[in-house]
Amino acid sequence: MAHAHLTISPEDVRRSGVAGTSGWLDRLADFVREAAASGETVEVTSRLRMMTPEQVADALGVSRSTVSRKIKAGEIRAVKVGNRNRIPYDEFERYVEAANRAMVALVADEIDAELFGDD
């Protein structure tokens, strides 16, 4: 195997929870078995995942310039890596959750009126 690595993303874990499968866990077990068979030691680490503005834009379905404007406005927190912006994955998740809550709040009255009528 010689210095191989395996990367498991938060999406891999999240998807398996929804579908009830453990694909990422099976991949990890296979990786460990293969390393053990080769006499290798396996070291498991984690690291904070950073996203580029382009990755965030793709995930949100908006343009990169929209993400840049949201960073400048302070709506999305970014850190500088050299002279480039990077968005921590936790910040991306926070922003998505906040945007979803804002959307729900925006349409809640309309939905209520549609379902129960204007009294």
Side-chain angles (χ1 to χ4, degrees):
M1 206 155 119
H3 305 294
H5 71 275
L6 172 68
T7 302
I8 299 170
S9 72
E11 290 85 7
D12 294 335
V13 176
R14 206 169 281 116
R15 265 192 305 264
S16 69
V18 172
T21 64
S22 58
W24 68 270
L25 194 53
D26 292 337
R27 287 188 1 242
L28 179 59
D30 291 343
F31 182 84
V32 171
R33 280 189 206 98
E34 208 174 303
S38 300
E40 296 181 358
T41 300
V42 174
E43 181 178 318
V44 179
T45 62
S46 66
R47 63 183 163 82
L48 180 61
R49 189 168 98 182
M50 302 293 255
M51 299 174 72
T52 65
E54 291 82 6
Q55 290 170 321
V56 171
D58 287 344
L60 296 175
V62 299
S63 69
R64 186 202 51 76
S65 59
T66 297
V67 172
S68 294
R69 281 194 302 276
K70 290 184 179 298
I71 290 169
K72 282 184 182 178
E75 294 177 46
I76 298 176
R77 184 182 62 82
V79 295
K80 286 285 189 182
V81 176
N83 65 347
R84 308 219 180 234
N85 283 318
R86 295 295 179 261
I87 298 95
Y89 189 76
D90 288 346
E91 172 61 10
F92 168 73
E93 287 185 319
R94 183 211 60 81
Y95 176 78
V96 168
E97 184 175 324
N100 286 340
R101 288 181 191 274
M103 182 75 71
V104 168
L106 203 64
V107 298
D109 289 340
E110 290 177 25
I111 292 172
D112 187 66
E114 201 170 302
L115 289 174
F116 304 109
D118 293 325
D119 288 342

